[in-house]
Amino acid sequence: MSEARSNQHLLSVENLRVEFPTRRGTLVAVDRISFHIDEGEVLGVVGESGAGKSLTGAAIIGLLEPPGRVAEGNIVFDGERIDDIGYEKMRRLRGNQIAMIFQDPLTSLNPLFTVGRQLTETIRTHVSIDERKARVRAIELLNEVGIPAADRRVDQYPHEFSGGMRQRVVIALALAVNPRLIIADEPTTALDVSIQAQIITLLKRLCREHGTSVMLITHDMGVIAETADRVAVMYAGRIVEIGPVGDVIKRASHPYTRGLMNSIPVIRQDIEQLVQIDGSMPRLTDIPPGCAFNPRCPKVFETCRTERPELVDVGATKAACWLYDYARRPGAGSTT
Amino acid sequence: MLAYIVRRLLQSILVLIAVGFIAFSLFNFVGDPINNMVGVEATDAERDAARKRLGLDDPFPVQFARFAANAVQGNFGQSYRLSIPVETAIAERLPATLELVFVAAVMALAIGVPLGVYTGLHRDGAISRMLLTASLIGISLPTFLIGILLILVFSVWLGWLPSFGRGATVDLWGWETNLASWEGFKSIILPAVTLCLFQLTLLMRLVRAEMLEVLRADYIKFARARGLTNRAIHFGHALKNTLVPVITITGLQIGSLIAFAIITETVFQWPGMGLLFLQAIQFVDIPVMAAYLCLVAFIFVVINLVVDLLYYVIDPRLRLDRPGQVF
């Protein structure tokens, strides 16, 4: 908000570690990750299911399901720590400053309340205006997300909307109080392919218009390529590569990212078979020592199996891979 | 909506006809009613005359039609035992039962639902665990035992509340009520508590289970993500979504409150319909039994109808007459 902070990142996450204590020991679902999001920026977060993308989002907005907890690190939003501010302060931030959109628009809306009621309720939780004005604002919002005849549909129930329309309502709800950051957790996964592009385009346009930053969690590299400014690739609870989207896509540094890129079909290329990464992501209970990707990595060498790589600069991006530590990679001068 | 109501009404009428048929059959299958009316020494000619006078020689459908026509007008004939019209006997007793059931139902809802919400929200709290353990008592102790224990504690040992009867009632426009005076109210406390205890614990456990279920729903997560207050989430969003099963069970349970009232009324000598029915059984007072059967069926049907209509009020997805325009 203040001028002094204008050179700061809107959100910065430092060394975040999310744990789940279980009877058989503690599972580390997000393992010391750091990244930031600037004002108006779209950060894509990609990775397979279970890579810790959604948990990172939930940790930022303070909605980790117990027993999950932030065990280490800090989350700074707009210059202030928000990971330890207590339930009530965090609640005031939610929806107001940081909003979140979930995967399934069919179940994100309460079936027993009209769309308008859910909108006005959200608005009036954060802004002190009367019901009539909130309703006017609700209709505006529905118009803004492209719902035809908004003044009539505001009084309808969620079941009277199609999936795509419901996701528009969900976006309207997230944008209701003009938050500065939206965490969109697979916002289009549950929708028809034909609708997905519409929703992504809408989300992108609205956030640009409002100057809202977005953390876009998805496993769809296509969506990331079209939408994000920067992208973070997650694997087994860690960020393996992060950087501007063009660089990550065209000149992927980490072998995992390269594998991901190779597994995307390219329309104009006539190839017999898509390349896939052998094996699957380790379960949280048996993440190997060293680099978590080492059992599947085509370029694995000794160091990868024993020491965990940190993010290092590789051109425009950062990658967590020993290949880019020239002192440690095999055949490097220091080993002779 | 209208079509739905009409359909439900027709179904209800079918149910009532079926029950009426069973009630009517009582007269024919539980002995020959003529034997109960004429003396042991009556001749066959006298019996036939009586039979003719009462229309008992008519074909079966005609007799049933006459019974049904009378029943619809609230006319169930003479009570064998009391020698007064059955409808008069029931009219005297009905207010007592309805009032007892009403007080018990209100208590069950007013205490059971909030306790269910509380134990659902504080799943692992010490108070929740205590309440859940205590609720097992309500679920498993039989009604008559609870009644007797309550009498022992509050009437015999403490002497705070009367142990039987309706006590002082006030006549409000022809309705004898216990609720208009403190003295009358004191009499209804123990029977109502006895009657409601099972329903109360059942409701509490039901609401708790539903709350636990609903609180995991995505729309609750999304409501939290929008920063709504806990109060709005728990009592606005969550509780309303638990209501449909709660209303279903409450409706059914009001029916069984009336049925269980027989036991409670016996324990507390409450002059209601249940007591009347028990006495009717002892004396094979068939007209009273038939009337009671029809009345209880009627009450059940009405409650079910009300429950169905309440679904509409609560769940917009059921209002099918406004077809969803899906784009």
Side-chain angles (χ1 to χ4, degrees), chain A residues 91 107 121-122 126 153 160, chain B residues 218 226-227 230 237 325 327:
Chain A
R91 181 189 69 72
T107 54
E121 172 185 52
T122 310
H126 298 292
R153 305 212 69 180
E160 297 173 86
Chain B
D218 282 350
R226 286 184 278 144
N230 274 339
H237 287 257
Q325 282 151 305
F327 285 53

Side-chain angles (χ1 to χ4, degrees), chain A residues 87 91 94-95 100 102 107-108 110-113 118 121-122 125-126 148 152-153 157 159-160 162 173, chain B residues 218-219 221-222 224-230 232 236-237 240-241 314-317 319 322 324-327:
Chain A
Y87 187 86
R91 181 189 69 72
R94 283 201 282 267
M100 188 154 182
F102 295 99
T107 54
S108 285
N110 190 331
L112 304 188
F113 293 126
Q118 299 189 48
E121 172 185 52
T122 310
T125 299
H126 298 292
R152 188 170 55 81
R153 305 212 69 180
Y157 291 91
H159 71 277
E160 297 173 86
S162 67
L173 278 164
Chain B
D218 282 350
Y219 52 81
K221 202 163 81 174
F222 190 45
R224 289 198 199 287
R226 286 184 278 144
L228 301 189
T229 58
N230 274 339
H237 287 257
K240 196 170 178 193
N241 272 284
I314 287 172
D315 196 335
R317 285 167 295 189
R319 294 173 208 157
R322 197 168 77 176
Q325 282 151 305
V326 175
F327 285 53

